[in-house]
Amino acid sequence: METCFKVHVTPDRAFIKIFNKASYLNCNPLRKFLDEQSKNGQTRFVLDFQECTSMDSTFLGIIVSVALRIRKDQQGGGVVLLNLRGRNLETVCNLGVHQITDVCSSEVTNETELENLALAKDASADQCTIYQAHKALMNLNAKNLRVFSDVVNYLEQKRENQ
């Protein structure tokens, strides 16, 4: 089963439903969507994890980047994470993502019509996306700084050698 992000945008917020695994292999279309929505002035994002089986640090770093940007701009809004349970909820809390987002672990359903987020041929995240995502996680707290510093250092060295 292919991972899919479905989206629905209203003037008030952008809804994103995550299906299957959310990882560095497939999160680039989501990053582009979030960046585009942010540039268009969107400050409220709701992500539904009901059908998400797992997520990695690159995916979460993208979410952290958006949440921190919204906080920095102080225009109101924020990021809401719905239907987080089990390992996904544990991962969000262990990395401190719950401190800059609103987390709702109880079941919430949305009957809104969702559209598939177009998956470009370059669906995998490029190294710049992976770097920026992990850098955002490192800046979130001291624990993440220790956990992800090797990844960021490796990517910085790789970038310098190119």
Side-chain angles (χ1 to χ4, degrees):
M1 214 188 245
E2 187 176 318
T3 301
C4 183
F5 302 98
K6 291 191 175 189
V7 298
H8 178 74
V9 179
T10 69
D12 188 42
R13 62 195 49 159
F15 296 91
I16 301 111
K17 187 164 180 110
I18 298 107
F19 293 86
N20 303 316
K21 296 179 181 180
S23 76
Y24 73 97
L25 295 172
N26 58 32
C27 63
N28 213 31
L30 179 66
R31 180 193 57 78
K32 290 176 182 178
F33 170 78
L34 293 170
D35 287 348
E36 179 183 305
Q37 289 299 308
S38 294
K39 287 177 186 167
N40 291 337
Q42 185 63 262
T43 61
R44 296 172 193 256
F45 296 91
V46 179
L47 288 87
D48 183 353
F49 291 87
Q50 175 94 26
E51 305 294 329
C52 179
T53 57
S54 66
M55 60 182 96
D56 73 2
S57 55
T58 299
F59 172 79
L60 284 172
I62 291 168
I63 304 308
V64 166
S65 295
V66 171
L68 290 175
R69 186 175 9 186
I70 291 169
R71 282 182 161 217
K72 181 182 173 190
D73 294 344
Q74 297 179 348
Q75 297 176 4
V79 177
V80 177
L81 309 178
L82 298 177
N83 299 316
L84 276 172
R85 290 183 295 286
R87 181 72 178 131
N88 287 344
L89 178 59
E90 185 180 314
T91 301
V92 164
C93 292
N94 283 342
L95 295 177
V97 179
H98 68 293
Q99 296 171 337
I100 61 165
T101 61
D102 293 321
V103 175
C104 180
S105 58
S106 59
E107 187 168 325
V108 176
T109 57
N110 181 1
E111 299 301 322
T112 304
E113 182 72 25
L114 299 173
E115 299 175 18
N116 283 323
L117 185 58
L119 294 176
K121 288 183 181 177
D122 66 338
S124 63
D126 59 22
Q127 289 193 6
C128 184
T129 297
I130 295 169
Y131 173 79
Q132 291 170 345
H134 286 86
K135 198 79 165 148
L137 284 169
M138 282 178 58
N139 292 331
L140 194 56
N141 59 50
K143 177 185 167 197
N144 290 355
L145 178 65
R146 289 188 305 276
V147 170
F148 297 113
S149 62
D150 287 342
V151 173
V152 169
N153 288 336
Y154 170 77
L155 292 171
E156 285 174 346
Q157 287 176 352
K158 195 169 182 177
R159 189 188 293 179
E160 288 173 9
N161 293 334
Q162 289 181 347

